[in-house]
Amino acid sequence: MKEEEIHKKYMKLAIEEARTGILNNHGGPFGSVIVKDGEIIATGHNRVLLNNDATAHGEIEAMRAAGMKLHTYDLSGCTIYTTGEPCHMCLCACMWANIDKIYYGCTIEDNGLIGFRDDKFDKIFGGRDKLEGFMTEVERQSCLELFNFYRTLRRQTY
């Protein structure tokens, strides 16, 4: 399978995971898939509203599930696909967990277009310019379609 097809496959799963969360009013349009050696290890979607937990972002939920499945906090060798460029909390959590690579769909700016304030924190903390090669944008158009669907629902943002 070509690299582009691989990205499309895993991002499609992240989008489906996010859609599940949206339709159940669990939180924002953020879904994640963690892959290791071509195998899906875990998925997660935003559950901030469901759990009344500000840290229950899609990436965090997926990392928690991956840690439980692999019986380790060290996710070396894993790649994460996520529908939105990670906020600083999730970005640092990915680094703390030793995730090898992040593929994201929508950008921090796109997150802002649907009411999320990631750009505020990005302006405070910055530093993404130092992460060359660690994060790569893929399948943005597919993720924008998800974000546009979310926007039509006029859900609570936080």
Side-chain angles (χ1 to χ4, degrees):
M1 196 180 298
K2 294 181 182 176
E3 189 174 7
E4 184 178 314
E5 292 170 349
I6 291 169
H7 295 323
K8 188 175 196 141
K9 171 186 170 181
Y10 293 130
M11 191 59 81
K12 181 179 178 188
L13 292 171
I15 290 169
E16 289 172 9
E17 182 71 25
R19 192 175 298 276
T20 296
I22 292 168
L23 295 175
N24 288 292
N25 202 28
H26 291 172
F30 306 105
S32 298
V33 173
I34 295 178
V35 178
K36 184 173 185 177
D37 299 325
E39 178 188 345
I40 296 169
I41 301 300
T43 62
H45 64 262
N46 187 292
R47 288 183 171 87
V48 168
L49 299 178
L50 175 68
N51 296 344
N52 292 308
D53 178 354
T55 69
H57 292 195
E59 298 94 333
I60 302 292
E61 293 291 296
M63 285 186 279
R64 288 173 178 156
M68 295 293 285
K69 181 174 182 175
L70 298 174
H71 304 287
T72 183
Y73 55 86
D74 184 354
L75 300 180
S76 294
C78 292
T79 299
I80 190 167
Y81 286 82
T82 187
T83 56
E85 186 174 355
C87 68
H88 273 276
M89 176 184 70
C90 292
L91 176 57
C92 290
C94 286
M95 294 168 76
W96 200 264
N98 297 314
I99 294 224
D100 289 353
K101 180 87 174 166
I102 298 170
Y103 291 102
Y104 65 91
C106 290
T107 65
I108 290 290
E109 292 80 15
D110 296 329
N111 296 350
L113 294 175
I114 58 170
F116 290 88
R117 55 198 167 115
D118 301 45
D119 58 335
K120 172 184 174 181
F121 300 105
D122 211 45
K123 287 175 186 164
I124 294 169
F125 299 111
R128 291 175 189 265
D129 56 321
K130 297 176 181 127
L131 300 174
E132 189 175 328
F134 183 57
M135 296 193 306
T136 302
E137 181 185 297
V138 297
E139 293 298 312
R140 181 170 178 245
Q141 191 57 47
S142 298
C143 292
L144 280 172
E145 290 171 17
L146 172 73
F147 276 32
N148 288 333
F149 168 69
Y150 176 78
R151 186 181 311 153
T152 67
L153 299 176
R154 301 179 194 268
R155 295 290 171 92
Q156 176 184 355
T157 55
Y158 35 87

